[in-house]
């Protein structure tokens, strides 16, 4: 479609320099090529129950997608929520580079596997301790070029049955870009004696954060919306 016709260069930086540079079209080709295998994997291993899918069909880039973070599979869940031909693809995620929550991810980081994964799937490394403006410079540029950026405002996986506190970065990114936010709530359930984990996903309407709010209050505003969707998602169980 027309909104997928843009071509841009995808680059990202971290403490050891430029780690990735990928043409928009190549990244789109990779994500669309992975769509069917990932869809099959999730159907067999992590089936989804989705409500609010109509809000995806009316969404167009540039767009910020926010979601609470339940498992390391959330990237793939959000990817296959979109149709294969969706103009929101490719998705660009923000990701950690220095310290991961799980030991095995830290091992993969040391081995260099995380860098390859980020390069293949369009993950922009988060630059910490360099100021909010610099940390968000790359996702801001992606949004200015008409891209779709995915953020987990909690900043890490929250396995507990609630939505964690949101970081102020989401408030700053929306304030500086003035791009609409599409909220997504993710719940998971793994029944005793079952290997599969069921995903309950609730997609809300796009919204803007009131301009007069501070970055911290903006983050809380976005969290309340995702929290409401999270509660509604329980009805699907």
């Amino acid at each position: 479609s027309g909104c997928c016709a843009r071509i841009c260069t995808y680059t990202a930086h971290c403490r050891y320099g430029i780690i990735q540079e990928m043409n928009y079209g190549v990244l789109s080709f990779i994500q669309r090529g992975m769509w069917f295998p990932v869809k099959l994997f999730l159907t067999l291993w992590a089936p989804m129950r989705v409500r609010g899918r109509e809000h995806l069909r009316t969404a167009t880039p540039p767009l910020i997608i926010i979601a609470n973070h339940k498992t390391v599979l959330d990237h793939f869940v959000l990817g296959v929520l979109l149709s294969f031909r969706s103009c929101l693809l490719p998705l660009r995620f923000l990701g950690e580079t220095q310290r991961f929550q799980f030991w095995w991810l830290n091992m993969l980081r040391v081995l260099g596997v995380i860098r390859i994964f980020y390069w293949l799937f369009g993950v922009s490394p988060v630059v910490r301790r360099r100021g909010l403006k610099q940390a968000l410079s790359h996702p801001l540029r992606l949004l200015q070029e008409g891209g779709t950026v995915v953020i987990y405002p909690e900043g890490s996986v929250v396995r507990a049955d609630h939505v964690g506190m949101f970081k102020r970065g989401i408030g700053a990114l929306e304030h500086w870009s003035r791009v609409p936010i599409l909220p997504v709530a993710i719940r998971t359930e793994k029944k005793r004696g079952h290997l599969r984990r069921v995903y309950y996903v609730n997609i809300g309407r796009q919204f803007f954060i009131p301009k007069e709010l501070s970055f911290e209050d903006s983050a809380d505003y976005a969290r309340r919306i995702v929290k409401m969707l999270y509660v509604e998602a329980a009805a699907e169980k």
Side-chain angles (χ1 to χ4, degrees):
S1 63
C3 57
C4 290
R6 296 172 308 278
I7 298 295
C8 66
T9 300
Y10 177 57
T11 60
H13 301 261
C14 65
R15 61 186 175 88
Y16 35 76
I18 297 176
I19 69 167
Q20 48 189 325
E21 182 170 337
M22 185 177 290
N23 180 273
Y24 177 98
V26 175
L27 182 59
S28 178
F29 177 80
I30 290 174
Q31 289 195 6
R32 293 175 197 277
M34 291 294 296
W35 193 92
F36 290 104
V38 171
K39 177 70 172 179
L40 177 61
F41 168 78
L42 290 178
T43 300
L44 297 175
W45 185 252
M48 294 187 294
R49 307 288 183 266
V50 183
R51 62 186 297 179
R53 199 183 290 272
E54 67 275 8
H55 301 311
L56 280 177
R57 290 193 287 266
T58 58
T60 57
L63 183 69
I64 301 170
I65 298 177
I66 63 171
N68 61 304
H69 205 0
K70 280 299 175 190
T71 77
V72 294
L73 292 180
D74 292 346
H75 302 333
F76 303 106
V77 169
L78 293 174
V80 299
L81 281 177
L82 307 175
S83 71
F84 174 76
R85 293 187 175 89
S86 173
C87 65
L88 296 178
L89 292 175
L91 300 178
R92 278 66 168 250
F93 299 87
L94 297 188
E96 180 61 74
T97 59
Q98 299 177 7
R99 183 171 50 191
F100 288 93
Q101 194 172 352
F102 305 107
W103 67 268
W104 55 274
L105 284 176
N106 284 302
M107 182 177 294
L108 292 177
R109 176 183 61 83
V110 172
L111 295 174
V113 176
I114 295 295
R115 294 177 68 181
I116 297 173
F117 179 86
Y118 279 12
W119 182 77
L120 284 174
F121 291 97
V123 180
S124 175
V126 174
V127 181
R128 300 190 183 277
R129 296 186 296 274
R130 295 187 182 178
L132 199 55
K133 195 77 173 182
Q134 185 171 350
L136 296 176
S137 62
H138 188 249
L140 273 170
R141 183 171 63 81
L142 292 174
L143 291 171
Q144 290 167 358
E145 293 172 347
T148 305
V149 173
V150 180
I151 297 180
Y152 303 107
E154 293 164 307
S156 62
V157 172
V158 177
R159 293 192 178 278
D161 189 18
H162 65 82
V163 177
M165 299 302 297
F166 280 14
K167 308 295 185 184
R168 65 191 183 108
I170 179 58
L173 184 62
E174 193 274 348
H175 178 79
W176 288 331
S177 68
R178 296 313 297 171
V179 166
I181 297 175
L182 183 76
V184 179
I186 301 173
R187 297 186 79 118
T188 64
E189 182 181 43
K190 189 175 182 180
K191 295 182 179 180
R192 184 175 299 178
H194 291 255
L195 294 176
R196 300 199 309 172
R197 183 183 298 273
V198 180
Y199 275 76
Y200 300 91
V201 183
N202 192 10
I203 306 162
R205 293 184 176 88
Q206 297 178 56
F207 69 94
F208 287 95
I209 297 174
K211 293 181 179 180
E212 65 273 12
L213 296 182
S214 67
F215 294 161
E216 289 78 8
D217 289 341
S218 295
D220 187 59
Y221 182 94
R223 178 179 179 269
R224 289 198 301 269
I225 293 175
V226 173
K227 184 179 179 180
M228 180 181 63
L229 295 172
Y230 187 81
V231 172
E232 292 175 354
E236 296 295 318
K237 289 188 176 183

